[in-house]
Amino acid sequence: MRRKLAAGNWKMNGTGPALAELESLAHTFPDPSVDILICPPATLLHRASQTVHHTGIAVGGQDCHAATSGAHTGDLSAEMLKDTGANSVILGHSERREDHGEQNEDVRAKARTAMDAGLTTIICVGESLEQREAANTLDIIGGQMSGSIPDQSTGENLVVAYEPIWAIGTGKVPTLEEIGEVHDFMRARLERRFGEGVGRSVRLLYGGSVKPSNAAEIFGVSNVDGALVGGASLKAEDFSGIIRALEGA
Ligand code: PGA
């Protein structure tokens, strides 16, 4: 059985006062029946992990460098994330791929280092609107998965998030059939590459405009094991609605 996961990506949002949202979440879910992960900006990681210490909530980073250390001004290593108390890292988010030109090979190299450091790695894939309209979605997702996911992946160290670029922060969401088609495809790819045991144990998240009002129907789609949530993870009240929907799925 795959344990469901509600992951929040705060992106470049939040300073000290935002930690109150974490306190509130921990208070609302003293003993959650799903995994809850918050990925705040790196500046908040250490304080965030102290805030949720001994609760059912975990903390993760939003990126890391492919190297373990060295002359890389401004970058953070996987080991440094670990040192803050983080247990996970998001890699290959479309905003990193767009803003920083990250390619599949870069994401794979980062994922290898993150897995070696003992972090759970959430690798993001997703098509643009043009690619969807040209009926290239599955080719794109397949290529991103082969290119970005390292061979050492297991059900413990890998989570894959399907995030259609056109659905991120736009309020637009694919139909449930479209989500199901991609998630079933991703499951089949993982089973083919890693064997049924590992392939079936990797959690698959959907991300892109998930809200309390659409979460339950999305969580009812086959092979959706949770969500990667941007905007609606910033407020404990909104994220709580999504977590409740996942607990009830
Ligand atoms: P959104 O972002 O929930 O604000 O659409 C999702 C994401 O980028 O992970």
Side-chain angles (χ1 to χ4, degrees):
M1 265 304 276
R2 298 183 293 272
R3 193 168 156 89
K4 295 179 187 302
L5 170 62
N9 173 11
W10 283 8
K11 308 190 178 181
M12 198 171 73
N13 296 292
T15 53
L19 295 170
E21 302 298 326
L22 279 182
E23 278 168 24
S24 165
L25 267 188
H27 186 75
T28 310
F29 298 97
D31 188 18
S33 63
V34 301
D35 285 348
I36 303 175
L37 172 72
I38 292 285
C39 301
T43 47
L44 284 181
L45 271 175
H46 182 60
R47 278 181 286 168
S49 45
Q50 285 179 324
T51 304
V52 298
H53 196 55
H54 294 312
T55 74
I57 301 173
V59 163
Q62 300 175 9
D63 176 50
C64 70
H65 199 278
T68 51
S69 65
H72 303 288
T73 302
D75 281 314
L76 296 173
S77 72
E79 200 63 48
M80 290 168 183
L81 296 181
K82 198 91 208 291
D83 188 48
T84 67
N87 75 353
S88 308
V89 62
I90 299 170
L91 292 175
H93 190 283
S94 59
E95 288 153 15
R96 300 283 321 168
R97 291 178 189 260
E98 273 172 29
D99 295 356
H100 300 271
E102 286 187 12
Q103 305 294 318
N104 291 329
E105 313 75 89
D106 303 315
V107 178
R108 188 186 188 108
K110 289 176 177 207
R112 266 197 230 110
T113 316
M115 288 173 177
D116 288 345
L119 294 173
T120 296
T121 302
I122 302 177
I123 295 182
C124 303
V125 297
E127 82 287 2
S128 67
L129 190 58
E130 296 69 42
Q131 290 163 336
R132 174 159 286 277
E133 284 172 349
N136 282 335
T137 299
L138 297 184
D139 279 352
I140 294 294
I141 304 298
Q144 288 175 334
M145 288 179 73
S146 321
S148 307
I149 298 175
D151 291 334
Q152 74 210 76
S153 300
T154 68
E156 282 78 51
N157 67 16
L158 176 69
V159 174
V160 183
Y162 169 52
E163 299 209 308
I165 298 169
W166 51 274
I168 295 176
T170 57
K172 291 189 197 132
V173 179
T175 64
L176 301 181
E177 289 70 29
E178 287 168 335
I179 295 174
E181 182 190 27
V182 174
H183 279 244
D184 289 350
F185 170 81
M186 295 199 296
R187 178 70 64 212
R189 295 277 303 203
L190 289 170
E191 287 181 12
R192 204 166 67 214
R193 177 165 167 197
F194 295 104
E196 278 192 6
V198 169
R200 281 188 190 161
S201 63
V202 173
R203 291 175 292 179
L204 302 180
L205 309 182
Y206 168 77
S209 297
V210 178
K211 306 180 283 253
S213 57
N214 63 13
E217 57 178 24
I218 292 171
F219 296 147
V221 175
S222 83
N223 281 313
V224 173
D225 304 309
L228 179 55
V229 183
S233 72
L234 293 171
K235 290 282 162 233
E237 198 184 329
D238 295 335
F239 200 43
S240 296
I242 293 168
I243 296 167
R244 271 192 214 97
L246 191 58
E247 285 191 323

